[in-house]
Amino acid sequence: MSRWNPLFADLPVESIIHAHQQDYYRALAESNAEGASTLFVEFVLGVIREALMSSTEQATEQGTEQAGEQVLNLVARMGEGDYSAKSLMALIRLSHRPTFLYDYLHPAVVGRWLELTRPETPTSRKQGYRLTRSGRQLVLELRQRDGGRA
């Protein structure tokens, strides 16, 4: 599924199917017996839904626990759209590039709150950054925690 849509690359679909292995085989057998894949498709859609719910809950729980104050500061100030490293530094009023790279940008990318706009060329001078789904969720959580001020 991840070849079809990269969204599925980080979802724990296989582990959820493994946890519901009997249901998987039952849906497969019943679909085969009926000559229609409806039950199996419904099963797979339920697994995808469970995986999405699990990922969202996990990102919310881990968000503020794993992100350092620098990352929280950076992510909280971002909006939708793409940013250059220089514009992100200006956003948080930081001029020392090594500090920005090691304390803010790199941890935000590794933590999957930010993603590269040009992942195939990570060192491109035209590289940009944007919030991931987890990053947007973290922003929402910060805004709720701070009463909408983040």
Side-chain angles (χ1 to χ4, degrees):
M1 287 194 306
S2 64
R3 288 186 205 143
W4 173 70
N5 189 326
L7 168 70
F8 293 105
D10 295 327
L11 291 179
V13 173
E14 293 87 359
S15 60
I16 292 173
I17 288 175
H18 182 71
H20 299 286
Q21 201 165 11
Q22 288 180 340
D23 296 329
Y24 170 82
Y25 287 118
R26 186 178 312 117
L28 196 56
E30 289 177 14
S31 290
N32 191 35
E34 289 180 9
S37 59
T38 305
L39 289 173
F40 184 72
V41 170
E42 288 174 350
F43 170 79
V44 171
L45 289 173
V47 166
I48 292 170
R49 182 177 187 276
E50 187 175 335
L52 286 168
M53 298 295 284
S54 172
S55 291
T56 301
E57 289 170 9
Q58 188 177 22
T60 300
E61 290 171 6
Q62 293 174 352
T64 54
E65 292 173 13
Q66 291 183 354
E69 286 302 314
Q70 294 93 336
V71 173
L72 293 176
N73 183 34
L74 175 64
V75 170
R77 293 172 185 265
M78 292 178 69
E80 292 297 321
D82 299 346
Y83 294 82
S84 67
K86 188 174 183 177
S87 65
L88 288 173
M89 288 175 64
L91 194 65
I92 58 173
R93 295 184 174 98
L94 192 64
S95 60
H96 191 251
R97 188 171 174 86
T99 297
F100 171 72
L101 293 175
Y102 295 111
D103 293 344
Y104 292 79
L105 188 60
H106 183 70
V109 171
V110 169
R112 295 187 177 180
W113 293 288
L114 294 184
E115 65 185 358
L116 284 69
T117 58
R118 299 173 185 264
E120 66 283 353
T121 55
T123 59
S124 170
R125 62 183 182 84
K126 294 183 180 182
Q127 186 61 262
Y129 304 89
R130 64 177 156 245
L131 291 170
T132 62
R133 184 170 36 106
S134 297
R136 289 189 298 274
Q137 180 65 37
L138 181 58
V139 169
L140 289 173
E141 182 180 317
L142 291 170
R143 287 183 180 153
Q144 288 173 351
R145 184 185 76 185
D146 295 340
R149 291 188 308 258

